[in-house]
Amino acid sequence: MKCKQKLYKQETATHIILIEMRLWYLLLLPLTFWLQVVASEESSTGSHFESINKSNHTNNWAVLVSTSRFWFNYRHMANVLSFYRTVKRLGIPDSQIILMLSDDVACNARNAFPGTVFNNMDQALDLYGNSIEVDYRGYDVTVENFVRLLTDRWGPEQPRSKRLLTDENSNIFIYLTGHGGNEFLKFQDAEEIGAHDIADAFAQMHEKKRYNEIFFMIDTCQANTMYEHIYSPNILCIGSSKLDESSYSHHSDMDIGVAVIDRFTYFALDFLERINRDSKETMDKLFEILNFENVHSHAGIRTDLFKRDVSEVLLTDFFGNVQNVAVDTTPKDILNTTKRLTRDSASLHALKKLRPRGQVEFGFEDGDSTINFHLSKASSTVLGLGLTGLLLGLWKYAS
């Protein structure tokens, strides 16, 4: 009788152990799936997030156009030359800047300071100087040439220095200033370009893979109407004034006798003068400056075509040409260094620095401590499969 009771207790204990093993199996099984999900998805999620918030461009271009002429439009030439100076200071070379202007101000007979153009009444900065390269001047500043420039529809006779040689990895800053109205901008007081013309030109650029992203800025009366018909992707737009609203000049120089800069351009440049090539300032900070109190008109911003959040867009993505260089700190004699580190267990931590660049890692980090646990994609997959096999073996043993 005692033997039967003892045997019964043993069978009961064994049964309880088997039940516990099955419960552990059910608890650990989700962990194996989670490890494999981390291995397969986290890298793609991270790279997708990074691609959304970064421009991923490889080169920058600027198209700067003053569409007016005559002495009393002095400020329009000062506007465009001011942006020309800014983008050059931030790193875009002359070879990647297309400058279009009438060029009839510096040497105008009414200019009290021949050969100069200023954008401030203190006359501290000569924008004309000796280092500007005008690509299209005088009667070459036409609607036809502007559209051909954007779409690259030229004959073989057109020199490369006057072409916009962009590709699908190019970020382009396009700035227009002059006199305009509801859905039109005047060129040289002789012709007009319409909002639909610009929209169609951008569409051709997209079809021909001529840009990665475009920042379109226009300073003219009723400027916001010029971007309303754009329908191509990855274009960020800003204008100086809404429909039926004028765009105003900032101040005049009594010695020169005319207004020397527009308000919208003045405050944009005043902000950009504070940044350098390595600046992390974002586009939304610039937009905050261009408010009604400063500009005296309602600047408009269009972001629905642009895939990135403007709070994540660096100003240097369009105004600069910063080339980020990753310095390789890997030892020159990497083979022998690796062998020594392998033999020296005390230097095992240094060996991690010699892993191939680009290897995907997944892991857990305690932000308040120095504890780090990382798994490569292959390691996490092997660990997940190993746990799955172990659990299946336990299940078979338990059954």
Side-chain angles (χ1 to χ4, degrees):
M1 184 67 179
K2 291 182 179 180
C3 291
K4 289 184 178 180
Q5 289 179 350
K6 186 177 181 179
L7 182 60
Y8 175 75
K9 289 180 180 180
Q10 289 178 350
E11 289 178 350
T12 303
T14 302
H15 184 66
I16 292 174
I17 291 173
L18 294 177
I19 292 175
E20 289 178 349
M21 291 176 65
R22 292 187 178 185
L23 287 174
W24 275 110
Y25 172 82
L26 294 174
L27 290 174
L28 291 174
L29 186 60
L31 177 62
T32 63
F33 285 108
W34 179 80
L35 285 170
Q36 295 185 56
V37 167
V38 168
S40 61
E41 294 184 357
E42 187 162 332
S43 61
S44 61
T45 302
S47 61
H48 178 66
F49 179 79
E50 183 179 355
S51 64
I52 289 177
N53 290 281
K54 289 188 177 181
S55 176
N56 297 321
H57 66 289
T58 60
N59 57 91
N60 287 79
W61 288 74
V63 178
L64 311 174
V65 185
S66 171
T67 64
S68 61
R69 61 185 301 115
F70 306 123
W71 173 252
F72 56 83
N73 290 318
Y74 183 107
R75 67 188 184 278
H76 295 152
M77 184 166 169
N79 288 346
V80 77
L81 287 178
S82 297
F83 269 114
Y84 174 77
R85 173 185 175 275
T86 296
V87 297
K88 282 187 66 175
R89 180 179 65 83
L90 293 177
I92 303 181
D94 262 318
S95 59
Q96 292 169 212
I97 301 174
I98 302 296
L99 183 60
M100 304 179 74
L101 46 81
S102 60
D103 203 14
D104 61 348
V105 167
C107 297
N108 193 289
R110 283 175 281 189
N111 192 347
F113 307 95
T116 64
V117 177
F118 301 106
N119 64 358
N120 205 319
M121 62 187 303
D122 61 8
Q123 300 165 8
L125 179 63
D126 177 16
L127 299 171
Y128 204 70
N130 298 316
S131 60
I132 72 166
E133 295 183 12
V134 182
D135 299 286
Y136 296 85
R137 56 164 39 95
Y139 292 107
D140 287 335
V141 183
T142 64
V143 172
E144 179 183 355
N145 283 345
F146 177 65
V147 174
R148 285 185 179 276
L149 176 72
L150 296 181
T151 58
D152 201 35
R153 293 180 177 273
W154 299 109
E157 71 283 355
Q158 186 71 3
R160 290 176 60 85
S161 61
K162 290 189 174 186
R163 292 174 57 189
L164 187 65
L165 300 175
T166 56
D167 55 36
E168 59 187 354
N169 299 311
S170 304
N171 273 15
I172 310 174
F173 169 51
I174 300 176
Y175 173 79
L176 301 179
T177 184
H179 291 290
N182 184 7
E183 297 187 5
F184 73 88
L185 175 65
K186 296 191 338 184
F187 267 66
Q188 305 278 332
D189 277 346
E191 56 181 344
E192 301 170 354
I193 187 171
H196 288 282
D197 300 324
I198 291 179
D200 292 341
F202 286 167
Q204 289 185 47
M205 294 178 71
H206 175 63
E207 291 172 1
K208 298 172 71 173
K209 297 182 178 181
R210 287 182 48 74
Y211 71 87
N212 175 58
E213 293 173 333
I214 290 176
F215 179 39
F216 178 56
M217 176 183 281
I218 180 167
D219 186 0
T220 180
C221 296
Q222 307 186 61
N224 302 350
T225 63
M226 291 299 292
Y227 61 64
E228 291 179 347
H229 297 288
I230 296 173
Y231 52 91
S232 303
N234 298 334
I235 299 178
L236 178 63
C237 307
I238 184 169
S240 59
S241 54
K242 66 179 183 179
L243 177 66
D244 296 328
E245 191 174 56
S246 296
S247 183
Y248 299 99
S249 62
H250 186 263
H251 69 275
S252 298
D253 185 327
M254 294 300 101
D255 293 329
I256 296 175
V258 292
V260 292
I261 195 169
D262 283 317
R263 299 192 69 87
F264 178 83
T265 297
Y266 175 88
F267 284 101
L269 291 168
D270 182 60
F271 182 81
L272 292 172
E273 280 297 309
R274 306 171 194 171
I275 72 172
N276 54 38
R277 298 185 183 191
D278 299 320
S279 173
K280 300 301 180 183
E281 288 287 354
T282 52
M283 196 68 72
D284 60 318
K285 300 298 189 298
L286 173 63
F287 294 163
E288 291 174 3
I289 295 296
L290 302 174
N291 52 48
F292 184 82
E293 181 180 356
N294 289 332
V295 180
H296 293 182
S297 57
H298 294 86
I301 303 165
R302 185 175 178 190
T303 61
D304 61 301
L305 300 171
F306 201 67
K307 66 182 179 181
R308 293 195 288 154
D309 188 333
V310 292
S311 64
E312 301 288 340
V313 179
L314 297 178
L315 288 168
T316 51
D317 283 349
F318 292 99
F319 294 105
N321 192 42
V322 178
Q323 300 295 328
N324 294 320
V325 178
V327 179
D328 192 351
T329 58
T330 304
K332 293 182 179 180
D333 192 6
I334 187 171
L335 294 177
N336 292 329
T337 302
T338 304
K339 292 177 182 178
R340 287 198 305 271
L341 291 174
T342 303
R343 291 193 299 267
D344 187 1
S345 58
S347 303
L348 185 60
H349 176 69
L351 181 60
K352 295 179 181 178
K353 297 181 180 180
L354 300 177
R355 66 179 182 272
R357 288 180 292 176
Q359 180 176 351
V360 182
E361 287 189 351
F362 313 95
F364 314 94
E365 292 188 6
D366 186 350
D368 299 326
S369 70
T370 58
I371 299 175
N372 295 293
F373 175 65
H374 289 280
L375 292 175
S376 68
K377 182 176 179 180
S379 299
S380 58
T381 302
V382 170
L383 180 59
L385 293 174
L387 282 174
T388 302
L390 177 62
L391 292 174
L392 288 174
L394 290 174
W395 179 270
K396 184 176 180 181
Y397 174 77
S399 61

